[in-house]
């Protein structure tokens, strides 16, 4: 090809999400369309382009990179420099380059695109009903990458040799499967295996699984980031058996519905916004209201009026759900609290009593990625858990770090954050850090991040609580350790989403976290900015009998409040005289200001929940009881000698002990009273400090009723309110908050 008159040449570097999304073939087609010559290649997280031709064509080419980019690509222009002309006859795609300075963004796992879905359902297509169909716009990424650059030999697909047909597609720049690294077909790709009663059936494995599901069996199904335990979502007996064997007696189970969304299901109430959110690339779980005439089993979310809904995101899911013709329970296949299981042999060994059958495949999963979960609060879906499809999540920092750091998060809902320069990468959900497997996955996630991003931490940030598994782990490493107080991390994470440089009031209400005074905080309000938070408000402290046991036994929190007031507690089990004596002497009865435990106490005193099988069960049930307008109880707010605004919960207890009120009235009362307290505290602080911005953080603000009433009251009073929407308000946001707190403190 002859160069045009007055040609010029450019060297363009693009970072961001440009690998694993079909970016190179897109650049190839774009260059050809603009009559340009040169080349494109992957480097370590960067796409390099050398391109030349007529100047106007070059300008149009660069503009179209961003205007017409693949749907899942997020390119960032690193540089655009004029270079000397070279001799090119055409535009080509060069082999990847595994050297240079790493600017890596690891691609997340993707849902099944519409083009592949159409082929999956086309009887004339060679991939008809093939459960591993994919292209550059869909399929697994993060869970099968072994190292970067993202090329097939560097993935768990390396052992599957491409057949001639797949190889031709893989090598054709004009084909949408050009360098789709997981590309496969029934001839050369992964396959299914169905096992039941220790027998492997060699016929149609997906059909065998469907037969088992139709007969009320629980089937462990291997997906993209791990296994699901699946059963008929309308079969109460099957779900009860699953709950009994897991054991998971009460915690809600997610439900997967067949696509498309316009199918007339009566089980849940979906707004147009809900539908759009469920259809996003991550295919998340969204908590939505159950319909009055729903045929979903009450065993899916007992005691609650919401259910977690998601759509199929892998071809295998589509095949199962479409043929089944109705919703299936799809809950993480794990031991409660642990990360989801990913290994074929391990799951049969560890979950043999939970599943009646197993639908395996032989594509290895390199690392687990649980499903992300969201709840709509104050008009916007907000994350409860990030995971497959949404993580690793990369965020830009408002500062430049002097050295790479690793933030190891909290004990509950653990995720880690690796940060360097002005970048932070948040891991998928790991889980509760109380088991050997959780610690193994935690350590493997750190090793994976170091390897994938080619960055190794030079300092570790941990929670200030000396008993956390993550804190103890941090101090065993041969690196400097910087502790951050739990609620400072909550406040800093919320501040990040305020997108301001001004002073902010942040309410950090949760279960418990280690405070600056050595007590268990959980009802704190801060003023300031990351690195210089001032605690300006709190709750009246109380002694918590049994310490950590109170998280699963709400009656203990109820007893604490009653005993503090010199009252008998009507929900204390028999035989607790010694407990009361220990509480009086403050033996295993730490002081706390926890609002989460206040809601636990209210759940117990109203008769909603005295014994919990999972953390937060009592408050969740209490929120579900809010079905009528409640009377507001005014809570005293006084300024103590240290200049701290302290709220007294005593009037709430008096009201909760009054049997003249219904359970639903009591539930509504505590929500509106606590929301009013937030507005009351904010007004007092504003009067002193002239601050008009408020942020909410901490697990308590997963409660939609409380949060929405509080936001309405604050906005009516003229405050600007922020609730995080990128990262969870619960402890899954702690590791990122630790980075923000550390970064600002070091400035």
């Amino acid at each position: 090809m002859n160069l045009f008159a007055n040609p010029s040449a450019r060297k363009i570097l693009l970072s961001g999400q440009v690998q694993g999304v079909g970016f190179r073939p897109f650049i190839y087609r774009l260059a050809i369309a603009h009559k340009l010559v040169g080349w494109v290649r992957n480097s370590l997280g960067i796409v390099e382009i050398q391109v030349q031709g007529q100047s106007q064509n070059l300008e149009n080419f660069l503009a179209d990179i961003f205007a017409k980019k693949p749907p899942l690509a997020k390119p960032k222009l690193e540089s655009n420099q004029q270079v000397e002309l070279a001799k090119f006859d055409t535009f080509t795609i060069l082999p990847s380059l595994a050297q240079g300075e790493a600017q890596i963004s690891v691609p997340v796992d993707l849902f099944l695109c519409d083009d592949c879905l159409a082929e999956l359902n086309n009887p004339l297509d060679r991939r008809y009903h093939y459960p591993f169909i994919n292209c550059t716009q869909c399929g697994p990424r993060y869970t099968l990458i072994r190292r970067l650059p993202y090329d097939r030999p560097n993935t768990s697909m390396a052992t599957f040799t491409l057949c001639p047909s797949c190889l031709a597609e893989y090598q054709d720049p004009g084909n949408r499967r050009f360098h789709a690294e997981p590309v496969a077909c029934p001839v050369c790709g992964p396959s299914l295996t169905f096992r039941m009663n220790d027998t492997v059936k060699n016929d149609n494995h997906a059909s065998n699984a469907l037969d088992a599901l139709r007969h009320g069996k629980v089937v462990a199904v291997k997906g993209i980031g791990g296994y699901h335990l699946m059963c008929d979502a309308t079969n109460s007996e099957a779900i009860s058996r699953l709950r009994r064997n897991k054991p998971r007696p009460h915690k809600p189970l997610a439900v997967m519905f067949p696509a498309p969304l316009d199918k007339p299901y009566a089980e849940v109430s979906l707004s147009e916004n809900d539908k759009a959110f469920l259809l996003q690339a991550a295919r998340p779980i969204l908590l939505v209201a159950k319909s009055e005439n729903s045929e979903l089993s009450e065993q899916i979310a007992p005691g609650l009026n919401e259910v977690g809904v998601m759509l199929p995101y892998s071809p295998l899911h589509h095949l199962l759900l479409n043929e089944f013709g109705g919703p299936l329970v799809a809950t993480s296949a794990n031991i409660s609290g642990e990360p989801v299981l990913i290994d074929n042999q391990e799951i049969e060994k560890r979950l043999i009593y939970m599943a009646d059958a197993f639908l395996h495949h032989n594509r290895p999963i390199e690392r687990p990625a649980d499903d992300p979960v969201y709840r709509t609060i104050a008009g916007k879906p907000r994350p409860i858990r990030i995971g497959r499809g949404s993580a690793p999540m990369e965020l830009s920092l408002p500062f430049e770090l002097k050295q790479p750091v690793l933030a190891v998060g909290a004990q509950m809902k653990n995720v880690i954050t690796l940060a360097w320069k002005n970048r932070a990468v948040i891991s998928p959900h790991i889980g509760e850090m109380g088991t050997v497997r959780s610690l193994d996955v935690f350590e493997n996630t750190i090793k994976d991040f170091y390897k994938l991003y080619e960055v190794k931490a030079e300092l570790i940030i941990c929670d200030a609580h000396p008993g956390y598994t993550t804190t103890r782990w941090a101090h065993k490493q041969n690196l400097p350790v910087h502790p951050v107080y739990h609620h400072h991390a909550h406040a800093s994470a919320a501040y990040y989403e305020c997108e301001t440089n001004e002073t902010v009031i942040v309410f950090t209400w949760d279960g418990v976290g280690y405070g600056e005074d050595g007590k268990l905080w959980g009802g704190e309000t801060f003023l300031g900015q990351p690195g210089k938070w001032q605690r300006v408000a709190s709750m009246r402290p109380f002694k918590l009998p049994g310490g950590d046991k109170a998280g699963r036994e709400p009656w203990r929190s109820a007893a604490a409040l009653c005993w503090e007031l010199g009252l008998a507690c009507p929900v204390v089990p028999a035989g607790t005289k010694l407990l009361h004596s220990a509480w009086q002497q403050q033996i295993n009865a730490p002081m706390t200001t926890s609002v989460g435990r206040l809601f636990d106490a209210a759940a117990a005193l109203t008769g909603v929940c005295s014994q919990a099988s999972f953390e937060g069960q009592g408050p969740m049930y209490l929120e579900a009881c809010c079905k009528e307008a409640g009377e507001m109880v005014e809570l005293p707010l006084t300024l103590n000698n240290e200049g701290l605004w302290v709220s007294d919960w005593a009037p709430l207890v008096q009201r909760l002990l009054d049997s003249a009120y219904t359970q639903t009235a009591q539930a509504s009362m505590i929500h509106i009273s606590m929301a009013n307290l937030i507005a009351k505290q904010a007004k007092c602080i504003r009067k002193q400090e002239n601050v008009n911005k408020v942020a909410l953080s901490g697990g308590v603000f997963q409660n939609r009723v409380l949060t929405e009433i509080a936001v309405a009251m604050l906005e009516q009073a003229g405050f600007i309110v922020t609730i995080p929407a990128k990262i969870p308000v619960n402890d899954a946001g702690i590791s990122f908050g630790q980075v923000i707190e550390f970064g600002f403190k070091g400035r």
Side-chain angles (χ1 to χ4, degrees):
M1 178 186 293
N2 294 324
L3 294 175
F4 297 96
N6 301 317
S8 62
R10 311 293 297 182
K11 180 71 175 288
I12 300 166
L13 299 182
L14 297 164
S15 63
Q17 196 67 65
V18 289
Q19 295 191 8
V21 291
F23 202 74
R24 285 175 299 166
F26 160 71
I27 293 294
Y28 170 87
R29 292 190 293 271
L30 198 62
I32 298 298
H34 287 288
K35 300 179 180 179
L36 302 174
V37 296
W39 52 260
V40 60
R41 71 182 172 196
N42 277 344
S43 186
L44 289 178
I46 284 180
V47 165
E48 296 180 73
I49 305 168
Q50 184 155 332
V51 63
Q52 60 193 52
Q54 195 175 48
S55 297
Q56 187 58 53
N57 289 3
L58 284 172
E59 293 301 320
N60 294 340
F61 168 78
L62 185 60
D64 281 352
I65 288 176
F66 297 93
K68 299 179 180 180
K69 67 185 188 306
L72 301 171
K74 298 176 182 177
K76 299 176 184 176
L77 183 63
E78 291 290 328
S79 65
N80 175 17
Q81 297 178 332
Q82 188 163 344
V83 294
E84 292 185 5
L85 292 168
K87 291 183 179 180
F88 297 118
D89 294 323
T90 185
F91 194 89
T92 58
I93 299 175
L94 299 182
S96 297
L97 188 66
Q99 64 186 47
E101 184 181 358
Q103 294 281 342
I104 293 162
S105 290
V106 177
V108 299
D109 300 302
L110 307 175
F111 71 107
L112 185 68
C113 72
D114 289 342
D115 289 336
C116 284
L117 181 59
E119 292 176 352
L120 181 74
N121 294 323
N122 182 0
L124 300 179
D125 194 275
R126 70 187 186 93
R127 292 187 176 89
Y128 175 60
H129 279 190
Y130 181 57
F132 305 97
I133 187 172
N134 66 83
C135 69
T136 54
Q137 292 305 300
C138 66
R141 299 290 191 270
Y142 171 72
T143 53
L144 58 69
I145 293 172
R146 287 174 175 159
R147 58 189 175 275
L148 292 171
Y150 176 53
D151 290 322
R152 191 179 180 92
N154 296 337
T155 73
S156 61
M157 289 295 294
T159 57
F160 296 95
T161 303
L162 291 168
C163 69
S165 296
C166 286
L167 183 61
E169 294 173 331
Y170 185 81
Q171 293 178 334
D172 178 6
N175 192 289
R176 79 172 199 278
R177 291 192 170 92
F178 174 77
H179 276 268
E181 310 308 342
V183 70
C185 76
V187 174
C188 63
S191 57
L192 298 174
T193 302
F194 179 79
R195 286 177 59 89
M196 190 164 73
N197 300 325
D198 293 327
T199 301
V200 178
K201 298 189 177 182
N202 295 319
D203 49 357
N204 193 319
H205 301 288
S207 292
N208 290 330
L210 283 163
D211 286 342
L213 291 166
R214 291 187 184 111
H215 285 88
K217 303 298 184 183
V218 176
V219 182
V221 179
K222 188 176 183 179
I224 288 178
Y227 280 80
H228 284 119
L229 290 171
M230 305 188 84
C231 66
D232 185 348
T234 65
N235 188 328
S236 293
E237 192 281 327
I239 299 170
S240 295
R241 191 170 70 256
L242 168 60
R243 286 193 173 283
R244 185 169 59 251
N245 293 338
K246 194 165 168 52
R248 185 173 174 167
H250 306 107
K251 196 172 184 179
L253 304 170
V255 178
M256 186 177 285
F257 282 82
L261 272 172
D262 56 3
K263 203 167 180 177
Y265 290 113
E267 282 83 1
V268 293
S269 298
L270 292 175
S271 68
E272 290 305 312
N273 287 338
D274 292 337
K275 292 178 182 179
F277 187 78
L278 287 167
L279 282 167
Q280 68 172 280
R283 289 298 194 268
I285 297 170
L286 180 65
L287 301 181
V288 298
K290 288 190 290 187
S291 298
E292 289 185 8
N293 299 320
S294 174
E295 294 183 5
L296 293 175
S297 169
E298 287 297 321
Q299 288 298 310
I300 288 172
L304 302 174
N305 45 30
E306 287 183 330
V307 63
V309 170
M310 65 175 154
L311 296 176
Y313 53 84
S314 77
L316 179 57
H317 290 145
H318 279 280
L319 292 174
L320 292 176
L321 269 294
N322 289 346
E323 289 296 319
F324 188 78
L328 290 171
V329 167
T331 189
S332 302
N334 62 350
I335 307 298
S336 291
E338 289 188 354
V340 64
L341 290 163
I342 61 174
D343 181 76
N344 298 25
Q345 285 72 41
E346 186 180 18
I347 196 165
E348 288 202 23
K349 179 181 177 182
R350 301 195 71 195
L351 300 191
I352 187 65
Y353 298 108
M354 295 187 200
D356 301 306
F358 300 86
L359 185 59
H360 301 296
H361 61 70
N362 60 343
R363 183 177 66 201
I365 298 174
E366 289 297 305
R367 57 193 64 83
D370 223 328
D371 296 313
V373 182
Y374 287 75
R375 191 181 195 200
T376 301
I377 299 174
K380 182 180 289 188
R382 305 186 191 271
I384 293 173
R385 178 177 80 198
I386 63 171
R388 182 263 323 140
S390 62
M393 178 184 288
E394 184 170 330
L395 297 174
S396 296
L397 298 172
F399 46 73
E400 186 96 2
L401 288 166
K402 297 175 183 176
Q403 61 193 140
V405 301
L406 172 70
V408 295
Q411 184 76 3
M412 308 289 284
K413 299 176 177 61
N414 182 264
V415 303
I416 61 105
T417 298
L418 180 65
W420 66 104
K421 296 183 179 178
N422 68 336
R423 300 175 65 189
V425 182
I426 306 171
S427 77
H429 171 80
I430 294 172
E432 322 309 342
M433 293 301 298
T435 67
V436 172
R437 183 163 188 274
S438 294
L439 182 58
D440 285 344
V441 172
F442 168 83
E443 291 181 325
N444 287 336
T445 302
I446 293 169
K447 291 175 186 175
D448 277 346
F449 269 36
Y450 286 174
K451 181 172 68 174
L452 291 174
Y453 291 96
E454 298 199 353
V455 172
K456 193 166 185 179
E458 297 174 9
L459 179 144
I460 299 175
I461 314 170
C462 67
D463 195 280
H465 196 302
Y468 279 4
T469 302
T470 51
T471 302
R472 294 198 301 269
W473 181 90
H475 285 283
K476 290 178 182 176
Q477 310 311 303
N478 243 345
L479 290 173
V481 177
H482 180 87
V484 168
Y485 287 105
H486 189 87
H487 294 91
H488 289 180
H490 270 314
S492 293
Y495 185 89
Y496 175 84
E497 298 205 34
C498 290
E499 296 181 346
T500 183
N501 293 318
E502 299 177 22
T503 298
V504 174
I505 302 167
V506 186
F507 290 83
T508 61
W509 286 7
D510 63 0
V512 293
Y514 193 77
E516 293 175 82
D517 57 4
K519 295 176 183 176
L520 298 179
W521 288 1
E524 318 317 308
T525 308
F526 293 96
L527 178 71
Q529 298 176 342
K532 46 186 177 182
W533 293 114
Q534 177 189 355
R535 185 183 180 219
V536 290
S538 186
M539 301 297 298
R540 172 180 172 176
F542 55 93
K543 301 190 294 289
L544 197 58
D548 290 342
K549 289 182 179 180
R552 294 294 180 93
E553 298 178 346
W555 65 264
R556 291 178 181 269
S557 296
L561 301 189
C562 290
W563 292 346
E564 287 282 352
L565 300 178
L567 303 171
C569 181
V571 296
V572 173
T576 54
K577 187 174 181 180
L578 287 177
L579 180 69
H580 184 253
S581 177
W583 175 85
Q584 288 177 312
Q585 299 173 61
Q586 208 166 337
I587 299 172
N588 193 25
M591 295 295 293
T592 185
T593 56
S594 170
V595 172
R597 296 295 171 258
L598 286 179
F599 275 92
D600 275 341
L605 291 173
T606 55
V608 170
C609 179
S610 290
Q611 296 276 356
S613 63
F614 64 93
E615 186 86 12
Q617 181 181 353
M620 287 172 65
Y621 282 15
L622 190 70
E623 181 191 359
C625 283
C626 295
K627 297 174 182 176
E628 60 180 272
E631 295 180 17
M632 187 176 68
V633 174
E634 193 75 34
L635 302 183
L637 180 62
T638 56
L639 193 64
N640 69 12
N641 293 333
E642 287 76 40
L644 186 72
W645 290 101
V646 178
S647 302
D648 192 352
W649 38 259
L652 285 178
V653 179
Q654 300 285 355
R655 169 65 181 270
L656 290 168
L657 291 171
D658 190 339
S659 60
Y661 294 91
T662 65
Q663 189 179 72
T664 55
Q666 297 281 46
S668 297
M669 176 276 297
I670 189 168
H671 283 81
I672 193 170
S673 299
M674 294 300 288
N676 180 63
L677 176 60
I678 290 172
K680 189 175 181 179
Q681 283 191 7
K683 290 174 188 175
C684 289
I685 297 165
R686 178 171 63 183
K687 190 173 182 179
Q688 285 182 316
E689 306 290 343
N690 194 30
V691 176
N692 212 43
K693 288 184 169 62
V694 172
L696 307 176
S697 186
V700 167
F701 295 111
Q702 295 173 128
N703 182 317
R704 181 170 58 219
V705 172
L706 171 73
T707 304
E708 290 183 347
I709 296 173
V711 168
M713 289 181 169
L714 286 165
E715 290 180 343
Q716 188 175 16
F719 288 97
I720 299 168
V721 186
T722 297
I723 313 165
K726 294 178 182 176
I727 59 171
V729 295
N730 59 37
D731 281 7
I734 286 291
S735 65
F736 181 70
Q738 289 170 340
V739 171
I740 298 297
E741 177 70 8
F742 171 82
F744 271 89
K745 210 158 199 169
R747 287 168 63 174

